């Protein structure tokens, strides 16, 4: 199947008992057994282990990312946590230096105390990356594009190195979505999504996902999920599955609107730098052209003045864009990373990687582009 067909039909089946086109919401915690240890359906005993609605979502996730196993979690951080539970004291993890604040907080404030050593680096410096690899290196974790600076990493080149050294390679594909980028096809072992964002697409659910190619790895991660309990409920699974069915249409419009917003901002006298992988001036534009089929709806920018006060005034004056955390919904959102999504990252670390106090991040929605540009124009004025 082509992708536009996969999001609707991939891994999906009509309900066998009723013929329902959409999977029912199996709002149940447990399932009948005919004799001890003999459930009516061998796949379903207790909903923490498996639930038919969640299974339908997980099959769809595997399909759209070209994986063999999908797992649905109660949040993106729960999905990340499941991967981290594979490692022990003394193990080392190499991660991108520009990460979602919650991921950075988990790595540095939860798992660092467990004895796992983290290295945060620019993943485009492949010589530096190679120099950090040793017998204790167990995982490489990247976001591409990153949150909020839109940095990219060359998935294929990193995958060659991880495979040579027998290291697991995980990619947070939240910003790109499988419509624009397929990390497993490029050599990654694990794909993570905050399904709260583009996969759900309607700002009405918190969810996470992992997708893998290797069946044994999928079974290991499922056991860790089952044993720790961070599963997605049936109603939330239904909502994400419903969102996936329009993913291709929504992301097309996000890309179209994103490009128009970028063009406007890039020519505005009060805007200093626009961070968007579709711009030829973007330092990683060639990587974006190589591994992405479009550039998405996430845009960040700074002000010529460099003043935090100008960023705050701009955000307070928006009318169509909503000032709120999160991203990837049908509505356009605006965010101040230093005060909102990345506040958990120490100030000196933010400055080191380029998250300045005048940085604004936009999640460009699917409204009429002319209205979005008019809103940006009046807020900048």
């Amino acid at each position: 199947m082509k992708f536009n067909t996969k999001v609707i039909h991939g891994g999906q089946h009509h309900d066998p008992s009723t013929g329902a086109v959409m999977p029912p919401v199996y709002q149940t915690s447990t399932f009948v057994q005919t004799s001890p240890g003999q459930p009516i359906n061998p796949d379903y005993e207790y909903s923490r282990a498996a639930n038919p609605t969640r299974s339908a979502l997980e099959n769809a996730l595997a399909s759209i990312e070209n994986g063999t196993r999908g797992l649905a979690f109660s949040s993106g951080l729960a999905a990340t946590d499941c991967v981290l539970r594979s490692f022990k004291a003394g193990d080392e993890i190499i991660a991108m230096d520009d990460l979602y604040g919650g991921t950075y907080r988990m790595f540095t404030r939860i798992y660092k105390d467990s004895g796992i050593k983290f290295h945060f680096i620019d993943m485009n410096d492949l010589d530096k990356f190679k120099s950090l690899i040793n017998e204790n290196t167990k995982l490489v974790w990247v976001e591409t594009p990153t949150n909020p600076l839109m940095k990219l990493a060359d998935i294929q080149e990193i995958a060659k190195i991880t495979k040579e050294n027998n290291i697991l390679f995980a990619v947070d594909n939240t910003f790109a979505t499988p419509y624009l980028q397929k990390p497993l096809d490029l050599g990654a072992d694990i794909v993570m999504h905050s399904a709260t964002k583009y996969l759900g697409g309607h700002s009405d659910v918190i969810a996470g996902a992992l997708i893998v190619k290797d069946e044994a790895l999928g079974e290991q991660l499922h056991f860790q999920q089952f044993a720790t309990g961070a599963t997605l409920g049936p109603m939330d699974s239904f909502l994400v599955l419903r969102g996936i069915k329009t993913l291709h249409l929504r992301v097309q419009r996000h890309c179209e609107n994103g490009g128009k917003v970028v063009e406007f901002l890039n020519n505005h006298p009060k805007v200093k730098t626009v961070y968007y992988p579709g711009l030829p001036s973007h330092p990683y534009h060639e990587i974006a052209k190589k591994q992405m089929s479009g550039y998405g709806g996430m845009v960040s920018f700074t002000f010529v003045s460099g003043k935090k006060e100008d960023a705050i005034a701009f955000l307070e004056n928006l009318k169509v864009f909503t000032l709120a955390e999160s991203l990837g919904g049908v509505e356009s959102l605006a965010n101040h990373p230093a005060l909102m999504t990345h506040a958990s990252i120490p100030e000196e670390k933010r400055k080191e990687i380029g998250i300045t106090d005048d940085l604004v991040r936009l999640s460009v929605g699917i409204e009429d582009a002319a209205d979005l540009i008019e809103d940006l124009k009046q807020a900048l004025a």
Side-chain angles (χ1 to χ4, degrees), residues 136-201:
N136 296 319
T137 308
K138 305 299 181 185
L139 175 71
V140 172
W141 184 279
V142 305
E143 292 178 19
T144 181
T146 64
N147 182 2
L149 293 172
M150 311 300 158
K151 293 182 180 178
L152 273 76
D154 191 321
I155 297 172
Q156 266 187 320
E157 291 303 311
I158 294 169
K160 288 177 187 175
I161 297 167
T162 56
K163 280 181 168 45
E164 287 170 3
N165 292 276
N166 196 30
I167 301 167
L168 280 176
F169 179 23
V171 175
D172 181 337
N173 202 30
T174 300
F175 271 27
T177 81
Y179 181 70
L180 301 178
Q181 179 174 268
K182 292 188 175 60
L184 295 182
D185 291 354
L186 294 168
D189 300 298
I190 303 170
V191 170
M192 195 287 288
H193 284 277
S194 172
T196 308
K197 314 303 192 299
Y198 286 104
L199 297 186

Side-chain angles (χ1 to χ4, degrees), residues 1 8-24 26 44 52 56 59 241 245:
M1 291 181 185
I8 298 169
H9 300 290
Q12 299 304 295
H13 307 281
H14 300 149
D15 180 57
S17 60
T18 65
V21 173
M22 280 296 287
Y26 285 91
Y44 303 108
N59 291 338
L241 184 60
K245 289 182 182 293

Side-chain angles (χ1 to χ4, degrees), residues 70 73 114 201 217 219 256 261 299 329 348 358:
F73 292 80
S114 70
L217 177 59
E219 192 58 40
E256 291 168 9
V261 164
V299 184
E348 63 275 11
D358 66 327

